[in-house]
Amino acid sequence: VGYRTIEQSLPMSISSLITLLLVGSTNAFAPSGFSFVNPSARSFKSSHVLLKATPMTGTDGNAFAEDVNPWSLKDADTIFSVIDEDGNGSISQAELMNHMNKAGYANEAVAKIFKALDSNKDGFISKGEFRTGLVKFTQLQAAPGLGGFNAEFIKEIREDADFLFNAIDTDKSGNISLKELKEHLQRKTNAFSDQAISNMFKMLDVNLDKEISKDELRDAFVRYSALRQALGEGPNYK
């Protein structure tokens, strides 16, 4: 069984349960946190996935406590850059819906997630709000379509990363340029603006040498199921 089977089946059960929690007596995205049970998550060590809110002090959606792990914020920024299709620095409900629907989430669940993350209720999720949401609800960093979900399949995901790397690196230089990433995404979809692709490229170019190496793409592919969804499928995604 490939990791695609798990990635496609889990979001539906999460969607149903999140919806039940949100419309019931317990608000799943209240500051007290929330939990869900996934009875068929074969890729997780436990069949019970606990999603808790981590208490935050001194934060308002755009300001952050000094002790927040910057690695977590970088992760949030990378996922943000994938969902922000027009690259304008905020996520609309349509953008979140488009992204999460592709990952298998129901519309109602996505709407509730959007409402929870849009803390100032202006109709958009800012980068600060998204950071805070992924830090507050730590398991979102490993949720399907967002963070490192199915990271246990490291060998298979890295093989898929290499497959895509070779397809994107059209000049066979051993690195992916911004031009090559744009050409790949434009061949795959018209969803991303040039600015969005540039933002995504900057997040993937960890060493800031203006190129994406094979190792950088491998690491990002394992860490972000959002990126795997955006860039395309490899031979092990079955």
Side-chain angles (χ1 to χ4, degrees), residues 121-134:
K121 309 306 176 188
D122 66 350
F124 296 93
I125 301 170
S126 69
K127 184 177 288 187
E129 288 171 328
F130 193 76
R131 282 178 167 187
T132 297
L134 264 68

PDB file of all heavy atoms in Angstrom, residues 121-134:
ATOM      1  N   LYS A 121     -10.985  38.255  12.140  1.00  0.00           N
ATOM      2  CA  LYS A 121     -12.262  38.216  11.421  1.00  0.00           C
ATOM      3  C   LYS A 121     -12.352  39.242  10.295  1.00  0.00           C
ATOM      4  O   LYS A 121     -13.400  39.844  10.060  1.00  0.00           O
ATOM      5  CB  LYS A 121     -13.438  38.426  12.401  1.00  0.00           C
ATOM      6  CG  LYS A 121     -13.408  37.508  13.613  1.00  0.00           C
ATOM      7  CD  LYS A 121     -13.314  36.040  13.230  1.00  0.00           C
ATOM      8  CE  LYS A 121     -13.186  35.137  14.441  1.00  0.00           C
ATOM      9  NZ  LYS A 121     -12.895  33.727  14.091  1.00  0.00           N
ATOM     10  N   ASP A 122     -11.243  39.404   9.556  1.00  0.00           N
ATOM     11  CA  ASP A 122     -11.273  40.334   8.427  1.00  0.00           C
ATOM     12  C   ASP A 122     -11.503  39.620   7.095  1.00  0.00           C
ATOM     13  O   ASP A 122     -11.458  40.240   6.032  1.00  0.00           O
ATOM     14  CB  ASP A 122      -9.986  41.156   8.362  1.00  0.00           C
ATOM     15  CG  ASP A 122      -8.754  40.307   8.043  1.00  0.00           C
ATOM     16  OD1 ASP A 122      -8.861  39.061   8.056  1.00  0.00           O
ATOM     17  OD2 ASP A 122      -7.680  40.898   7.804  1.00  0.00           O
ATOM     18  N   GLY A 123     -11.745  38.319   7.150  1.00  0.00           N
ATOM     19  CA  GLY A 123     -12.016  37.559   5.934  1.00  0.00           C
ATOM     20  C   GLY A 123     -10.786  37.013   5.257  1.00  0.00           C
ATOM     21  O   GLY A 123     -10.890  36.418   4.171  1.00  0.00           O
ATOM     22  N   PHE A 124      -9.620  37.159   5.883  1.00  0.00           N
ATOM     23  CA  PHE A 124      -8.369  36.630   5.341  1.00  0.00           C
ATOM     24  C   PHE A 124      -7.528  36.075   6.487  1.00  0.00           C
ATOM     25  O   PHE A 124      -7.650  36.518   7.630  1.00  0.00           O
ATOM     26  CB  PHE A 124      -7.566  37.713   4.610  1.00  0.00           C
ATOM     27  CG  PHE A 124      -8.262  38.257   3.393  1.00  0.00           C
ATOM     28  CD1 PHE A 124      -9.055  39.384   3.487  1.00  0.00           C
ATOM     29  CD2 PHE A 124      -8.119  37.629   2.172  1.00  0.00           C
ATOM     30  CE1 PHE A 124      -9.710  39.893   2.379  1.00  0.00           C
ATOM     31  CE2 PHE A 124      -8.773  38.131   1.043  1.00  0.00           C
ATOM     32  CZ  PHE A 124      -9.573  39.263   1.149  1.00  0.00           C
ATOM     33  N   ILE A 125      -6.665  35.108   6.155  1.00  0.00           N
ATOM     34  CA  ILE A 125      -5.711  34.592   7.136  1.00  0.00           C
ATOM     35  C   ILE A 125      -4.350  35.191   6.808  1.00  0.00           C
ATOM     36  O   ILE A 125      -3.795  34.944   5.735  1.00  0.00           O
ATOM     37  CB  ILE A 125      -5.623  33.050   7.098  1.00  0.00           C
ATOM     38  CG1 ILE A 125      -6.992  32.427   7.392  1.00  0.00           C
ATOM     39  CG2 ILE A 125      -4.584  32.548   8.094  1.00  0.00           C
ATOM     40  CD1 ILE A 125      -7.041  30.924   7.137  1.00  0.00           C
ATOM     41  N   SER A 126      -3.828  36.009   7.700  1.00  0.00           N
ATOM     42  CA  SER A 126      -2.506  36.589   7.508  1.00  0.00           C
ATOM     43  C   SER A 126      -1.440  35.552   7.824  1.00  0.00           C
ATOM     44  O   SER A 126      -1.725  34.499   8.410  1.00  0.00           O
ATOM     45  CB  SER A 126      -2.319  37.806   8.415  1.00  0.00           C
ATOM     46  OG  SER A 126      -2.257  37.393   9.778  1.00  0.00           O
ATOM     47  N   LYS A 127      -0.216  35.860   7.444  1.00  0.00           N
ATOM     48  CA  LYS A 127       0.876  34.948   7.765  1.00  0.00           C
ATOM     49  C   LYS A 127       1.019  34.796   9.271  1.00  0.00           C
ATOM     50  O   LYS A 127       1.273  33.704   9.786  1.00  0.00           O
ATOM     51  CB  LYS A 127       2.205  35.444   7.162  1.00  0.00           C
ATOM     52  CG  LYS A 127       3.363  34.487   7.372  1.00  0.00           C
ATOM     53  CD  LYS A 127       4.643  34.982   6.703  1.00  0.00           C
ATOM     54  CE  LYS A 127       4.559  34.854   5.206  1.00  0.00           C
ATOM     55  NZ  LYS A 127       5.861  35.180   4.550  1.00  0.00           N
ATOM     56  N   GLY A 128       0.821  35.888  10.001  1.00  0.00           N
ATOM     57  CA  GLY A 128       0.891  35.826  11.463  1.00  0.00           C
ATOM     58  C   GLY A 128      -0.194  34.945  12.045  1.00  0.00           C
ATOM     59  O   GLY A 128       0.049  34.155  12.959  1.00  0.00           O
ATOM     60  N   GLU A 129      -1.403  35.080  11.529  1.00  0.00           N
ATOM     61  CA  GLU A 129      -2.502  34.244  12.017  1.00  0.00           C
ATOM     62  C   GLU A 129      -2.256  32.774  11.707  1.00  0.00           C
ATOM     63  O   GLU A 129      -2.554  31.895  12.529  1.00  0.00           O
ATOM     64  CB  GLU A 129      -3.820  34.701  11.390  1.00  0.00           C
ATOM     65  CG  GLU A 129      -4.331  36.029  11.939  1.00  0.00           C
ATOM     66  CD  GLU A 129      -5.515  36.572  11.163  1.00  0.00           C
ATOM     67  OE1 GLU A 129      -5.597  36.330   9.930  1.00  0.00           O
ATOM     68  OE2 GLU A 129      -6.354  37.255  11.779  1.00  0.00           O
ATOM     69  N   PHE A 130      -1.721  32.505  10.532  1.00  0.00           N
ATOM     70  CA  PHE A 130      -1.435  31.118  10.150  1.00  0.00           C
ATOM     71  C   PHE A 130      -0.329  30.533  11.026  1.00  0.00           C
ATOM     72  O   PHE A 130      -0.421  29.395  11.491  1.00  0.00           O
ATOM     73  CB  PHE A 130      -1.029  31.053   8.677  1.00  0.00           C
ATOM     74  CG  PHE A 130      -1.018  29.668   8.104  1.00  0.00           C
ATOM     75  CD1 PHE A 130      -2.215  29.034   7.784  1.00  0.00           C
ATOM     76  CD2 PHE A 130       0.172  29.008   7.869  1.00  0.00           C
ATOM     77  CE1 PHE A 130      -2.208  27.753   7.247  1.00  0.00           C
ATOM     78  CE2 PHE A 130       0.187  27.736   7.335  1.00  0.00           C
ATOM     79  CZ  PHE A 130      -0.998  27.095   7.017  1.00  0.00           C
ATOM     80  N   ARG A 131       0.713  31.329  11.267  1.00  0.00           N
ATOM     81  CA  ARG A 131       1.789  30.886  12.168  1.00  0.00           C
ATOM     82  C   ARG A 131       1.237  30.535  13.543  1.00  0.00           C
ATOM     83  O   ARG A 131       1.528  29.470  14.097  1.00  0.00           O
ATOM     84  CB  ARG A 131       2.826  32.005  12.334  1.00  0.00           C
ATOM     85  CG  ARG A 131       3.800  32.187  11.198  1.00  0.00           C
ATOM     86  CD  ARG A 131       4.710  33.351  11.519  1.00  0.00           C
ATOM     87  NE  ARG A 131       5.872  33.435  10.665  1.00  0.00           N
ATOM     88  CZ  ARG A 131       6.865  34.296  10.847  1.00  0.00           C
ATOM     89  NH1 ARG A 131       6.804  35.157  11.860  1.00  0.00           N
ATOM     90  NH2 ARG A 131       7.904  34.312  10.033  1.00  0.00           N
ATOM     91  N   THR A 132       0.445  31.449  14.086  1.00  0.00           N
ATOM     92  CA  THR A 132      -0.106  31.246  15.416  1.00  0.00           C
ATOM     93  C   THR A 132      -0.980  29.997  15.464  1.00  0.00           C
ATOM     94  O   THR A 132      -0.911  29.210  16.417  1.00  0.00           O
ATOM     95  CB  THR A 132      -0.928  32.470  15.857  1.00  0.00           C
ATOM     96  OG1 THR A 132      -0.053  33.600  15.931  1.00  0.00           O
ATOM     97  CG2 THR A 132      -1.558  32.248  17.225  1.00  0.00           C
ATOM     98  N   GLY A 133      -1.790  29.791  14.423  1.00  0.00           N
ATOM     99  CA  GLY A 133      -2.660  28.627  14.384  1.00  0.00           C
ATOM    100  C   GLY A 133      -1.892  27.325  14.369  1.00  0.00           C
ATOM    101  O   GLY A 133      -2.235  26.378  15.083  1.00  0.00           O
ATOM    102  N   LEU A 134      -0.805  27.269  13.580  1.00  0.00           N
ATOM    103  CA  LEU A 134      -0.036  26.032  13.504  1.00  0.00           C
ATOM    104  C   LEU A 134       0.820  25.801  14.734  1.00  0.00           C
ATOM    105  O   LEU A 134       1.192  24.669  15.031  1.00  0.00           O
ATOM    106  CB  LEU A 134       0.834  26.002  12.242  1.00  0.00           C
ATOM    107  CG  LEU A 134       0.186  25.237  11.064  1.00  0.00           C
ATOM    108  CD1 LEU A 134      -1.029  25.992  10.553  1.00  0.00           C
ATOM    109  CD2 LEU A 134       1.173  24.967   9.956  1.00  0.00           C
TER     110      LEU A 134
END
